[in-house]
Amino acid sequence: MSELVTGEAVALELRPAKLPSRALAVLLDLVVAVAVYVAVTVVLVLATASMDQAAQTALSVAAFVLLLVGGPIAVETLSHGRSLGKMACGLRVVRDDGGPIRFRHALVRGLLGVVEILMTFGVAACIASLVSARGRRIGDVFAGTLVVRERVPVAPGGFLPPPPPWLAGRFSGLDLSAVPDDLWLAVRQYLTRMRQLDPQVGQAMAGRLADDLAACTGTPVPQDVPPAAYLAAVVQERQGREARRAFGSGTAAPPPVPGGAVWPSAAGVEATPGVVGGGEPVRPPVPPHLPTAPSGAGQQPAAPEEAPREQRPSTGFVPPA
């Protein structure tokens, strides 16, 4: 496992490809490229039979350069580092920082690959790959790239830290329908890996994500809530809404009583009385085998007085250093 550090100070664990899998991928690519080159050469020979020898030679050289040199470069550029052989072997070419490659990376790898693979029959590439700690050939060293394995066992999802208890239900009224999926993914990745970030980088990243999330919801971030705690609370609110949509609220509505009266709920809490007949409130009849509750027994205890906001912790969710 190779640990790379991106520009945002996030450590990436990538598994570099070994020589056998890379050699198999190169062999598959060469078989496909040579087959296409032979087919195109046959067509060119038949089509240029009336031309002189110099024209035929020029067309053959052009076909060799375009198919065996330009072809792999174009394929890796368009597929972001996944040629046919690499797709079959589960490999991909990435930059040193883990990002996708571009045309300049594929160009350097392709030009040096002509010397490493075609002219030396792969001997130079094999020696460089064996010497390198991450299995890189000369083209990878000059291009700043790395071949990694994509088909690795899926690791369990990162732990999402819960928000502070004093934020429970505070963002239940936010409109989260306009938040894009890529922003949700970025927030989840930050929350699962914020312990691995530098404290200053983590705080700056949390602030940017919180501002983007607030812009999508149309509600600014409260001043007394740290950005990281705000992100965790909003993610928990979204998860709760998805769970309620998938499994329901978990409580069934009480059956209606004729005339507008409402029966007590299953928990034994008396419901709002209804009005029937002449307008006098009525309550459901008490079964004869149950004693009548004394006056005030059905009243719920008073809710504890809420602590003043200034006594609440203002920074209860700061990413650890």
Side-chain angles (χ1 to χ4, degrees), residues 13 23 48 53 58 73 160 162 177 190 201 210 213 218 222 239 242 246 254 256 258 260 270 275 316 321:
E13 293 182 351
T48 60
Q53 188 65 28
I73 296 175
L160 286 178
S177 59
Y190 165 76
V201 175
L213 193 58
Q239 291 177 343
E242 292 179 349
E270 196 171 23
V275 179

Side-chain angles (χ1 to χ4, degrees), residues 23-280:
L24 180 59
V26 171
L27 181 60
L28 294 176
D29 290 336
L30 284 178
V31 169
V32 174
V34 170
V36 175
Y37 174 71
V38 170
V40 172
T41 301
V42 171
V43 174
L44 288 178
V45 169
L46 296 177
T48 60
S50 60
M51 295 183 179
D52 56 0
Q53 188 65 28
Q56 294 180 357
T57 303
L59 289 177
S60 299
V61 173
F64 175 84
V65 173
L66 290 177
L67 296 178
L68 296 183
V69 180
I73 296 175
V75 170
E76 286 194 353
T77 302
L78 297 176
S79 63
H80 300 289
R82 298 185 67 190
S83 61
L84 296 178
K86 292 182 177 62
M87 291 176 62
C89 297
L91 308 180
R92 179 190 289 271
V93 182
V94 297
R95 300 196 307 261
D96 281 340
D97 59 356
I101 65 172
R102 298 183 179 180
F103 172 74
R104 64 177 183 271
H105 305 97
L107 179 62
V108 175
R109 296 185 78 255
L111 293 179
L112 292 179
V114 175
V115 179
E116 288 185 272
I117 300 174
L118 297 181
M119 294 186 177
T120 63
F121 300 98
V123 175
C126 291
I127 295 175
S129 181
L130 290 174
V131 172
S132 175
R134 294 189 290 180
R136 302 199 301 176
R137 62 180 178 88
I138 301 176
D140 292 321
V141 174
F142 281 92
T145 56
L146 176 68
V147 180
V148 298
R149 294 177 55 188
E150 288 188 316
R151 298 174 187 170
V152 295
V154 179
F159 172 72
L160 286 178
W166 53 275
L167 286 179
R170 182 170 179 179
F171 302 105
S172 58
L174 288 181
D175 182 13
L176 305 179
S177 59
V179 182
D181 292 338
D182 55 350
L183 182 55
W184 286 123
L185 179 60
V187 172
R188 288 181 60 90
Q189 290 179 345
Y190 165 76
L191 292 176
T192 55
R193 312 196 70 170
M194 66 179 182
R195 295 180 181 272
Q196 305 175 14
L197 301 175
D198 180 79
Q200 295 181 354
V201 175
Q203 292 177 5
M205 188 180 301
R208 291 196 302 267
L209 292 175
D211 293 340
D212 295 341
L213 193 58
C216 295
T217 59
T219 303
V221 182
Q223 296 293 332
D224 60 336
V225 179
Y230 170 79
L231 296 176
V234 175
V235 168
Q236 188 184 60
E237 175 64 27
R238 178 175 183 259
Q239 291 177 343
R241 294 182 186 181
E242 292 179 349
R244 288 191 292 269
R245 282 197 301 266
F247 305 105
S249 59
T251 58
V257 178
V262 180
W263 293 95
S265 63
V269 180
E270 196 171 23
T272 305
V275 179
V276 295
E280 297 181 358

